[in-house]
Amino acid sequence: MSDYDVVIVGGGIAGASLGAEIAHARRTLIVEAEEHCGYHATGRSAAFWLESYGGPTVALLTSASRNFLDRPAADFADDGFLHMRGDLHISREGWAELPEGIDSRRVSRAELEEMLPGIRPEWQHAVLEPGCADIDVARLHAAYLRRFKQSGGALATGSRLAGAEFRAGRWGIQLEDGLQLGASVVVDAAGAWADSVAEACGARPLGIAPKRRTMVQLRIGRSGLRDLPLVDDAAGTFYFKGEGDSSAWLSPHDEIDTDPCDAAPEEIDIAIAIDRFERVVDWSIERVERSWAGLRSFAPDRLPVYGFDPDAPQFFWCAGQGGFGIQSAPAAARLAASLLLQETPDPMVAHIDPALFAPARFR
Ligand SMILES: Cc1cc2nc3c(=O)[nH]c(=O)nc-3n(C[C@H](O)[C@H](O)[C@H](O)COP(=O)(O)OP(=O)(O)OC[C@H]3O[C@@H](n4cnc5c(N)ncnc54)[C@H](O)[C@@H]3O)c2cc1C
C-alpha cells in the first residue's frame, strides 16, 4: 500500500492548483478518475475573468488572483494568462448594478453601437467593465500540474476513489481498480462529485449541487468579432463573446439541476440560446459549429468551500467553485493551502477572512 501525507481527489483546476501550492511541503498524490485532468468543468468553461461575477465575496478571490494571472512568476509560466477584452453588461430596462469597488462606467447608446455593431435598438443601457479578460485555461491548468509534479507531487489518472475510512489516525483509501492507499488527509476537489466523494469517505455532504450550463459556438456571417467585448445581459439570460474572426461563443446562461455526469447539451437549450442571441444583434447565423455543456457546482449559499470538515477528521473541502473556479483559482489555492498546511496566509490572501468559505458555516 502506498502512503501519502495528502491525497487530493480530482485533478481539475481546483485539485491541480491546491496540489501545486502544497506539494513542496507534503507528500501529495492527485487521483483523477478520467484519463485527462481537464475532462470535466475545467475543460468546458467560457474562459473569462470577470471581477463582478459571483458577487462581492467571490470577487475577493477573483481580484486577489488578477496579478498572478496577468504577470505570473517567470518560473511558473513564460507569459501571462489573460487577454484583455472588456465586458458590456447590457439591459433593456435600466443600468446593471455591479458590486461596489469594481471598475466600471456607463456607456451611451452611440458608444454602444460603436463597440457592438448590429446591436438592436431596444438595448439602451450598457455598463462597461473594462477589466474583463479571457483566460488561457488550458495553459494555466497545465502550468499548475507542471508545478505540482516539479514540487514532487504524484498524479494518477484513470484512478477513481471508491471509498475511504479513517481509522487509528489515518485514511485507508480504496480505488475503483482495487488499489489501496494510505494518507493523513483527504482533499475533496471532485467538482460535481464533491458530495458523493464526501459520502464515500463517511463525511456528511454539504449540498453541493451540480448545474448544467450550455455553450454554443456559432459561425456568423460577418467578420471582426474576435476582439469585441464579452456581452452579457444584466438580467442574466445570456452571454456571448467573439471567439474567432467570424465565430462567437454563446450561452443561454442556463443552470439546470442534474446529477453529476458527463454533461451534454440539449437541443432545447441550444435553441433558446440562439433565440436570445437573435434578439440582441442583427448578425446572421450561418451554422452551429459545435456545442458542449459542463457542470457548475454550487454550495447552498453559492460561495466556495475551503477548509477542514468540522466533524469528519482530516477531511478537507475544496469544492463549490460554481462559475468562477478558474478566475479565482490562484487566490483560492493559496488560501486553501494555508488552511491545510496550518501556515500564515500568503500575502495574496492575507486580507481575506477564511471563515467566509469554511465548511463549518453549514453545520
Ligand atoms: C459552461 C461553463 C462555463 C464556465 N465559465 C467559466 C468562466 O468563464 N470563468 C471561470 O472562472 N469559471 C467558469 N466556469 C466554472 C469552472 O469551469 C469551474 O468552477 C471549475 O472548472 C471547477 O473546477 P474543479 O476542479 O472543481 O472541477 P472539475 O474540473 O470538474 O474537476 C473535478 C475532477 O474530479 C474528478 N473526480 C470526481 N470524482 C472522482 C473520484 N471519485 N475519484 C477521482 N476523481 C474524481 C472528475 O473526474 C473531475 O476531473 C464555467 C463552467 C462551465 C461548465
Side-chain angles (χ1 to χ4, degrees), residues 9-16 31-34 36-49 53 135 159-162 189-194 197 211 213-215 239 251 292-297 318-328:
V9 186
I13 195 76
V31 289
E32 166 52 56
E34 305 289 350
H36 302 288
C37 285
Y39 184 76
H40 289 291
T42 298
R44 304 181 190 206
S45 87
F48 55 75
W49 184 98
Y53 202 75
I135 308 172
S159 296
R160 184 182 297 276
L161 176 138
W193 289 265
V197 164
K211 294 171 191 289
R213 172 145 298 177
T214 307
M215 299 292 301
Y239 60 77
S251 171
W292 67 98
L295 302 182
R296 300 152 71 252
S297 300
C318 180
Q321 288 85 351
F324 41 79
I326 316 279
Q327 62 179 33
S328 59

Side-chain angles (χ1 to χ4, degrees), residues 206-288:
L206 294 178
I208 307 279
K211 294 171 191 289
R212 189 178 69 237
R213 172 145 298 177
T214 307
M215 299 292 301
V216 189
Q217 182 172 313
L218 300 173
R219 169 64 45 172
I220 306 288
R222 69 186 296 152
S223 56
L225 305 185
R226 191 193 307 271
D227 292 323
L228 293 184
L230 174 71
V231 179
D232 74 71
D233 165 25
T237 66
F238 62 79
Y239 60 77
F240 61 88
K241 65 175 183 179
E243 172 58 15
D245 191 44
S246 296
S247 63
W249 280 11
L250 163 69
S251 171
H253 216 267
D254 48 341
E255 205 169 274
I256 294 154
D257 288 322
T258 169
D259 288 333
C261 64
D262 187 356
E266 304 240 334
E267 288 299 322
I268 179 73
D269 297 315
I270 297 173
I272 290 171
I274 291 174
D275 177 59
R276 291 178 182 169
F277 180 76
E278 288 181 322
R279 290 165 196 257
V280 184
V281 280
D282 64 6
W283 307 350
S284 69
I285 297 173
E286 293 187 340
R287 62 181 182 278
V288 172

Side-chain angles (χ1 to χ4, degrees), residues 58-294:
V58 171
L60 293 170
L61 295 171
T62 304
S63 311
S65 299
R66 173 81 189 201
N67 281 346
F68 181 97
L69 292 170
D70 206 19
R71 288 183 295 278
D75 63 353
F76 186 76
D78 295 342
D79 207 357
F81 298 97
L82 300 182
H83 175 77
M84 291 308 293
R85 183 183 278 280
D87 176 43
L88 284 167
H89 304 276
I90 62 171
S91 165
R92 282 177 285 219
E93 286 89 32
W95 306 100
E97 293 203 10
L98 305 191
E100 218 171 292
I102 289 178
D103 183 25
S104 65
R105 69 175 172 85
R106 292 180 178 183
V107 165
S108 70
R109 171 71 201 181
E111 201 183 346
L112 177 60
E113 283 170 23
E114 257 175 49
M115 296 173 90
L116 192 61
I119 176 119
R120 296 195 185 276
E122 56 270 36
W123 299 90
Q124 287 291 328
H125 302 90
V127 172
L128 176 68
E129 192 176 332
C132 175
D134 286 349
I135 308 172
D136 189 339
V137 178
R139 203 159 60 79
L140 176 67
H141 189 208
Y144 271 127
L145 288 172
R146 189 171 57 239
R147 166 58 53 90
F148 173 65
K149 289 178 196 163
Q150 282 167 350
S151 307
L155 171 65
T157 53
S159 296
R160 184 182 297 276
L161 176 138
E165 217 182 327
F166 192 74
R167 217 188 279 159
R170 282 189 75 72
W171 285 101
I173 299 168
Q174 296 84 48
L175 300 181
E176 206 172 61
D177 60 11
L179 272 177
Q180 306 244 334
L181 306 168
S184 307
V185 175
V186 167
V187 173
D188 185 349
W193 289 265
D195 270 2
S196 326
V197 164
E199 278 181 310
C201 296
R204 241 191 320 147
L206 294 178
I208 307 279
K211 294 171 191 289
R212 189 178 69 237
R213 172 145 298 177
T214 307
M215 299 292 301
V216 189
Q217 182 172 313
L218 300 173
R219 169 64 45 172
I220 306 288
R222 69 186 296 152
S223 56
L225 305 185
R226 191 193 307 271
D227 292 323
L228 293 184
L230 174 71
V231 179
D232 74 71
D233 165 25
T237 66
F238 62 79
Y239 60 77
F240 61 88
K241 65 175 183 179
E243 172 58 15
D245 191 44
S246 296
S247 63
W249 280 11
L250 163 69
S251 171
H253 216 267
D254 48 341
E255 205 169 274
I256 294 154
D257 288 322
T258 169
D259 288 333
C261 64
D262 187 356
E266 304 240 334
E267 288 299 322
I268 179 73
D269 297 315
I270 297 173
I272 290 171
I274 291 174
D275 177 59
R276 291 178 182 169
F277 180 76
E278 288 181 322
R279 290 165 196 257
V280 184
V281 280
D282 64 6
W283 307 350
S284 69
I285 297 173
E286 293 187 340
R287 62 181 182 278
V288 172
E289 290 187 319
R290 67 187 182 108
S291 58
W292 67 98

